[in-house]
Amino acid sequence: MDLWTMIVLVVAIGCGAGIAESYFKSKRHADSARSNDGAKDKELAELRHRVEVLEKIVTDKKYQLERELDQLLLRTLMLAMGQSAAGWSVSLNRSGRSVKIPLTPMF
């Protein structure tokens, strides 16, 4: 084997090793990205479920009825005291949760 053949062979082996290293790095990166996608999909599904539950609570007729009754109660109390209820809001504590209710004109 002469000198030039050996030089070409060493350069070819070096290039092949560089290509192989790049290939394996990209394969590792793709595998880790797939595992991250699974975690993101799971988190997204959990967040969607939480939004559905919150929508059910807010659109629940009982929740809306309680809110209207609270507004009516406060308006009645304010009128009984001789004050206008316009622009007022009230914070009530119902069963351990605090609810802030803005008063809206009824008429």
Side-chain angles (χ1 to χ4, degrees):
M1 186 183 291
D2 67 339
L3 179 65
W4 291 109
T5 306
M6 187 179 272
I7 291 174
V8 169
L9 189 60
V10 169
V11 169
I13 291 173
C15 289
I19 291 171
E21 181 183 7
S22 296
Y23 171 76
F24 290 121
K25 274 186 180 179
S26 67
K27 190 157 182 87
R28 268 191 309 236
H29 180 67
D31 290 342
S32 68
R34 273 190 227 119
S35 67
N36 287 343
D37 287 345
K40 287 180 184 177
D41 290 342
K42 183 179 178 184
E43 183 180 2
L44 181 61
E46 289 174 3
L47 289 173
R48 284 184 176 163
H49 177 70
R50 290 178 68 185
V51 168
E52 288 176 13
V53 169
L54 290 173
E55 285 175 347
K56 286 179 184 177
I57 290 171
V58 171
T59 58
D60 185 22
K61 293 200 181 291
K62 181 182 175 198
Y63 174 82
Q64 290 177 352
L65 181 62
E66 283 181 4
R67 187 175 174 140
E68 289 174 12
L69 288 173
D70 290 339
Q71 282 185 350
L72 184 60
L73 173 66
L74 182 66
R75 188 170 278 110
T76 304
L77 289 173
M78 297 301 293
L79 291 175
M81 293 179 1
Q83 298 180 4
S84 170
W88 282 64
S89 65
V90 63
S91 293
L92 298 174
N93 190 353
R94 284 191 179 267
S95 63
R97 71 178 202 273
S98 180
V99 179
K100 185 166 183 162
I101 303 169
L103 291 177
T104 55
M106 292 185 82
F107 309 116

